[in-house]
Amino acid sequence: MKTSSFKYAIKALQIFIAITLVIGIAIVVHLLYTGRVYSFITAPALMKDNFEIKSGILVLLNLAFLIPLLIGINSLVKTIPYFEKQNYFAPVISKKFKLSSKAFIFSGIAALILQFISPLIENSRVVVGLGMKSLLYLFILVVGFFFGFLAQVFTKARAMEQENDLTI
Amino acid sequence: MPILINLDVVLAERKMKSKELAEIIGITTANLSILKSGKAKAVRFSTLEAICKALDCQPGDILEFVQD
């Protein structure tokens, strides 16, 4: 895949997440304010007859974990110009990868924890297992670890490149 | 770093300019400057050989070990 198309794909994903976040927060705030339930919303917490504040908070928390995801993707987008200029060893690349890694790991772990505690809070039941959603959060977590590893590799590569440049 | 580069001294003794040496040994003046200032991390044997040939000296005349 060309770098420019990759850049557009990441930008599109970023916009999609941002729109989901804004619409999601707007809907939850509206529901909390009016107490009305809309049938087109598929989130289980919003399908209840009486929309409770704790459910709203859980959905808001779920949406809040999209923010670090957005930060992570945004910092990945910022590395693309350096790759386009073939400036692979710029220190900013490893910094941005590290930031993405932290954001993805935080988002993944927080979402997984929330996935576990939300049925506990809502229905007072413990759900243990891996659903599709948990697998997605696990994937985000793994991607976070991957970018952490990549940040280490780029830091090492930069040190080696510097050493190579300073070998006369 | 405890390794000192005495290239300036040897160049002055030979009355040779850095630019001339850089041209003879085939490196850029910027790289020679890095070498002279002690910022270099390593010196290739081929570069050292070229410097020694151009200045008619021994590696020990250029490199010196000083205890920290």
Side-chain angles (χ1 to χ4, degrees):
Chain A
M1 197 191 271
K2 278 173 110 182
T3 326
S4 54
S5 48
F6 180 64
K7 189 179 173 179
Y8 290 129
I10 288 187
K11 272 273 179 205
L13 180 68
Q14 201 180 11
I15 291 166
F16 174 73
I17 293 175
I19 290 171
T20 311
L21 191 64
V22 170
I23 292 175
I25 289 172
I27 289 172
V28 173
V29 167
H30 181 71
L31 286 172
L32 282 173
Y33 186 71
T34 60
R36 288 168 66 190
V37 179
Y38 295 98
S39 59
F40 61 85
I41 298 162
T42 52
L46 305 178
M47 294 291 276
K48 286 179 156 186
D49 293 337
N50 296 315
F51 186 71
E52 293 167 21
I53 291 175
K54 63 179 180 184
S55 307
I57 290 169
L58 283 175
V59 177
L60 274 180
L61 270 176
N62 242 320
L63 289 167
F65 296 141
L66 286 178
I67 295 169
L69 204 64
L70 266 179
I71 294 169
I73 294 171
N74 191 44
S75 75
L76 281 185
V77 169
K78 281 183 181 163
T79 62
I80 293 173
Y82 294 93
F83 284 108
E84 279 178 339
K85 287 176 199 159
Q86 300 195 333
N87 188 5
Y88 305 112
F89 303 109
V92 70
I93 289 180
S94 55
K95 272 185 196 167
K96 293 288 175 194
F97 276 178
K98 210 175 271 179
L99 178 69
S100 300
S101 158
K102 281 177 187 168
F104 289 154
I105 289 172
F106 173 76
S107 186
I109 290 176
L112 275 172
I113 291 171
L114 193 71
Q115 186 79 357
F116 179 74
I117 62 164
S118 56
L120 201 69
I121 293 170
E122 278 190 290
N123 311 321
S124 301
R125 65 192 171 100
V126 178
V127 178
V128 181
L130 286 175
M132 273 309 284
K133 240 177 160 183
S134 306
L135 281 175
L136 179 72
Y137 297 143
L138 263 180
F139 177 72
I140 292 170
L141 192 65
V142 169
V143 168
F145 282 123
F146 172 73
F147 276 107
F149 166 74
L150 218 56
Q152 292 280 331
V153 169
F154 271 85
T155 308
K156 191 85 182 163
R158 184 176 148 68
M160 285 173 80
E161 198 250 357
Q162 231 170 16
E163 199 163 307
N164 190 43
D165 281 350
L166 290 173
T167 298
I168 313 296
Chain B
M1 208 157 72
I3 301 288
L4 290 182
I5 310 283
N6 293 323
L7 204 55
D8 270 337
V9 181
V10 183
L11 275 171
E13 280 172 6
R14 306 290 189 275
K15 289 179 183 147
M16 194 187 275
K17 285 181 182 168
S18 299
K19 200 179 167 189
E20 284 174 59
L21 180 67
E23 276 171 17
I24 294 167
I25 62 176
I27 63 169
T28 61
T29 45
N31 274 345
L32 191 65
S33 173
I34 290 171
L35 186 61
K36 275 166 61 182
S37 60
K39 284 178 189 165
K41 294 257 184 189
V43 184
R44 287 192 190 92
F45 278 141
S46 57
T47 312
L48 195 60
E49 186 188 324
I51 292 171
C52 289
K53 256 185 200 167
L55 297 174
D56 188 27
C57 63
Q58 291 297 313
D61 298 331
I62 303 163
L63 306 171
E64 187 188 346
F65 174 73
V66 180
Q67 204 84 46
D68 271 335

